[in-house]
Amino acid sequence: MSPAKIARFAQSDQYFRCPNCHEPLMLDGQSLRCVNRHCFDLARQGYVNLDPSAKQSDFYNSDLFADRGRILAAGYYDHIRDAVLETVTSANPRTILDVGCGEGFYSRAIAQSDSSAQIFAFDIAKSSIQIGAREDMTSNIAWFVGNLMDIPLQSHTIDCIIDIFSPANYAEFDRLLTEHGTIVKVVPGAAHVQELREAAANQLSNGAHYSNDKVVTMFREHVPNMRQFTVSQTMQMPAEDVLAFAHMTPLFFNVDLDRVDLRSVDRITVQAEILVGSK
């Protein structure tokens, strides 16, 4: 493993805690160890698995990652990435946690913008962490597989948590955040992928309708000092990108796309509500 990838964990004893006993984890060669001798080896891609029993959904396979990579590389989510980046950098955090980071699209953007920030990026899906760590050319992102129910980081060490299209655990977020820490949560907007929802309405439980009210209300209950804004773009897409978009969207995991006429879809709305709050 390259020294640069090992260096991602050089300050582990200041931030990581053992998922078994909650004692600090220290870098020892190419492993993280605690005083109780629990040991977690760094993988060659430059990440550590701190939830070895984790099982990823069958939906998160190589085909999905290929489709998601295609859509992100095409720039369809750039407006959301840029809004997140501006929101995070305006808070000037020194430590950032990317919850459910996937392949790290947002973490890498932040790292490239601010090389002095220490970023922690985790997901339950080992395959996505492997891709993110392998493709990361920076040295300030510590990649790990982790459990949202018991995030293996020490209390009050994180200045900013980003939670983008992922579940939240507000009790854990409160434990991790520093005194004036910030949460940036991104949820689909009401018009997100409305063109795909209309095409598959007869297979969706709510038809073409989508509401994020419950998620927004929960955020407001836990983070009363909040603001909210919308970012949205409707973009024309070739047929192959429309199909890739449908394949990678969780809303369509149980939709039989062979029964959906995607020929009528030549543009897709990518819309997000960005919720920002502090302790």
Side-chain angles (χ1 to χ4, degrees):
M1 187 188 312
S2 71
K5 290 185 177 181
I6 297 174
R8 296 171 178 174
F9 300 92
Q11 297 179 302
S12 292
D13 59 321
Q14 298 180 34
Y15 298 107
F16 282 101
R17 74 179 192 180
C18 177
N20 297 331
C21 65
H22 290 176
E23 292 293 331
L25 285 170
M26 293 156 282
L27 181 63
D28 180 11
Q30 295 188 21
S31 302
L32 299 186
R33 301 178 190 270
C34 71
V35 294
N36 292 319
R37 299 184 180 180
H38 298 126
C39 179
F40 305 89
D41 295 333
L42 303 185
R44 59 182 175 81
Q45 294 93 342
Y47 76 94
V48 62
N49 188 345
L50 296 178
D51 190 6
S53 63
K55 294 182 180 179
Q56 70 183 47
S57 167
D58 292 340
F59 291 115
Y60 289 88
N61 53 40
S62 58
D63 290 339
L64 180 139
F65 294 133
D67 287 330
R68 193 154 66 184
R70 177 192 185 100
I71 294 303
L72 294 176
Y76 297 127
Y77 276 77
D78 284 1
H79 58 299
I80 297 177
R81 179 203 61 196
D82 294 345
V84 169
L85 181 59
E86 181 178 354
T87 303
V88 170
T89 55
S90 66
N92 194 32
R94 294 300 86 203
T95 52
I96 301 163
L97 174 64
D98 187 352
V99 174
C101 66
E103 300 93 320
F105 178 67
Y106 300 93
S107 282
R108 286 198 298 274
I110 295 170
Q112 291 165 6
S113 174
D114 183 359
S115 60
S116 66
Q118 175 61 61
I119 302 168
F120 301 91
F122 86 96
D123 202 291
I124 196 69
K126 183 170 72 172
S127 298
S128 64
I129 291 296
Q130 289 174 330
I131 295 170
R134 184 181 66 237
E135 295 183 355
D136 179 21
M137 296 296 106
T138 69
S139 60
N140 56 325
I141 305 177
W143 302 88
F144 64 100
V145 177
N147 188 340
L148 180 65
M149 296 300 103
D150 187 7
I151 301 172
L153 293 171
Q154 297 174 33
S155 299
H156 310 305
T157 55
I158 302 299
D159 295 325
C160 180
I161 292 174
I162 63 173
D163 184 327
I164 302 172
F165 302 124
S166 292
N169 183 338
Y170 293 105
E172 277 292 87
F173 293 176
D174 188 59
R175 178 183 69 82
L176 291 172
L177 284 172
T178 53
E179 183 179 0
H180 301 293
T182 300
I183 301 176
V184 180
K185 183 166 179 59
V186 179
V187 300
H192 185 58
V193 298
Q194 61 184 3
E195 298 83 1
L196 290 176
R197 285 189 278 106
E198 289 166 0
N202 63 346
Q203 292 190 59
L204 298 173
S205 57
N206 293 322
H209 177 72
Y210 171 78
S211 173
N212 57 31
D213 290 349
K214 289 183 179 179
V215 178
V216 174
T217 297
M218 184 174 292
F219 185 91
R220 183 176 291 109
E221 289 173 352
H222 288 90
V223 192
N225 179 24
M226 67 163 284
R227 62 186 177 92
Q228 176 179 351
F229 62 96
T230 305
V231 290
S232 184
Q233 283 193 23
T234 300
M235 294 160 280
Q236 288 195 308
M237 296 185 191
E240 55 269 27
D241 285 0
V242 170
L243 182 60
F245 214 116
H247 278 151
M248 62 159 265
T249 301
L251 182 65
F252 294 90
F253 282 173
N254 294 308
V255 167
D256 181 357
L257 290 176
D258 289 336
R259 295 168 48 206
V260 179
D261 182 9
L262 292 177
R263 293 173 299 178
S264 62
V265 180
D266 63 357
R267 64 189 64 204
I268 292 178
T269 299
V270 180
Q271 184 182 92
E273 296 290 333
I274 299 184
L275 317 176
V276 186
S278 58
K279 293 182 65 175

